[in-house]
Amino acid sequence: MPLLTVAIAAGGFLAAPMAGNGAISAIMARPTRLEVKYEAVAPVMLMGRQKVASAALTADFTATGYRIAANGKAESLIDWITGTPSFGIVSTGLLTPLGLYPGRYDSFTRNGKKDRHVIVDFAPDDVAISVSPKFGDWGFPQPTQDQKLEASDPLTAIAELTLRRRATPTNPCGGPMRIFDGRQRYDLVLTFAGRLNWKSGAYKGPAIKCSVEYVEIAGFKNKSAEQRAKDRGDLAWANLILAELDNGAVTPPLKLEARLKSRGKMTIEATKLRYGPTR
């Protein structure tokens, strides 16, 4: 599972709820910025739970468009072992009363052995991909054009989750979340699990708890039915916490927590959160 980008949502422009419309109307009237910093904690052999990665996201919204930038890196023992894996991503697109329309997704990743640059250009009837160096394959099966068109890139999807593009009164978590990152096409199905009174260094106030189901669609490794069933069974549970700002009109992700039977509990949590008018 792509751990640092799991807290995302996509699609649903024409069926957007009034909460999202209100948030976008306010943004279009006044430039707005979202800033979040995250830390990832996971079990490390012989050392217990350790901070293993950090990431930062900044989303700028204007009357006509948006620009979202994210970067992250491995830290601590993982940093030393793997040669500082890191990523930098920028997503740009249009902002309209009906929602966000992705234009370009530009991603650069370094895993210690190989650097890879992926660009995805979105159009109403086409999704074009440029990759350097090339992937060894496009997965089994590889994503179809329709599967790409129905999805959104990860950063645009973070913004859509924040602006509640698919939330409904019965399921304020929204979804299903349809995601395409240039190779992999997957869904995140969110189910409302209750409301919380959240308190952390990043945020104090009302929050929404959502259970998460991860569904591989296309673009993944060729696996047997037995291996796919084993992978699905390894995830015991996963929860996503969303902050409720502006009376619930804006819901940026605060925390993702998942328990894997093979590795234990993994957590990504916001350490800083700011949402408001651009300074």
Side-chain angles (χ1 to χ4, degrees):
M1 183 182 295
L3 191 59
L4 288 173
T5 59
V6 73
I8 57 182
F13 301 137
L14 298 180
M18 291 305 295
N21 291 336
I24 286 186
S25 297
I27 288 171
M28 295 182 73
R30 179 181 60 184
T32 304
R33 167 171 282 201
L34 170 68
E35 298 175 0
V36 194
K37 291 185 177 180
Y38 294 98
E39 288 185 356
V41 177
V44 177
M45 187 176 299
L46 303 179
M47 299 182 65
R49 290 175 58 78
Q50 300 285 320
K51 177 182 175 181
V52 295
S54 62
L57 179 145
T58 301
D60 287 298
F61 303 97
T62 68
T64 58
Y66 65 90
R67 181 184 187 275
I68 310 168
N71 61 80
K73 63 179 181 178
E75 298 190 4
S76 186
L77 179 64
I78 302 299
D79 182 5
W80 179 79
I81 292 174
T82 59
T84 318
S86 60
F87 71 87
I89 310 172
V90 174
S91 180
T92 56
L94 300 176
L95 183 67
T96 79
L98 293 178
L100 289 79
Y101 291 84
R104 168 165 285 199
Y105 174 74
D106 192 330
S107 168
F108 183 84
T109 57
R110 175 180 290 112
N111 66 8
K113 297 180 180 179
K114 181 183 294 184
D115 300 344
R116 173 164 279 130
H117 190 190
V118 178
I119 296 176
V120 184
D121 287 309
F122 292 87
D125 57 356
D126 186 39
V127 178
I129 306 166
S130 172
V131 182
S132 179
K134 301 292 186 181
F135 296 127
D137 58 68
W138 290 95
F140 303 89
Q142 70 181 57
T144 66
Q145 193 73 331
D146 286 344
Q147 289 171 336
K148 300 172 190 175
L149 287 169
E150 70 181 358
S152 182
D153 71 78
L155 295 190
T156 296
I158 289 176
E160 293 195 327
L161 176 62
T162 298
L163 300 180
R164 296 175 56 77
R165 301 311 305 159
R166 294 185 63 85
T168 66
T170 56
N171 185 12
C173 297
M177 303 179 292
R178 303 182 178 96
I179 301 134
F180 178 64
D181 63 7
R183 184 188 182 196
Q184 296 178 333
R185 169 70 180 85
Y186 55 96
D187 284 354
L188 295 174
V189 180
L190 299 185
T191 303
F192 177 59
R195 282 189 160 85
L196 307 171
N197 186 21
W198 193 259
K199 185 176 182 180
S200 71
Y203 171 77
K204 297 179 178 66
I208 301 172
K209 181 178 181 180
C210 312
S211 64
V212 183
E213 179 186 359
Y214 173 67
V215 182
E216 293 183 359
I217 303 297
F220 293 86
K221 292 181 179 179
N222 195 13
K223 303 176 185 177
S224 66
E226 291 78 9
Q227 184 61 50
R228 291 182 185 277
K230 181 180 179 180
D231 290 347
R232 288 194 299 270
D234 189 42
L235 179 62
W237 52 263
N239 292 320
L240 176 64
I241 308 298
L242 307 175
E244 288 193 280
L245 308 179
D246 293 344
N247 295 317
V250 180
T251 55
L254 281 172
K255 184 178 182 178
L256 170 71
E257 191 172 55
R259 179 171 290 280
L260 303 178
K261 296 176 183 177
S262 61
R263 297 186 58 188
K265 188 169 70 173
M266 309 177 73
T267 302
I268 302 171
E269 185 167 2
T271 58
K272 176 184 177 181
L273 172 65
R274 178 188 176 273
Y275 177 84
T278 301
R279 297 171 182 172

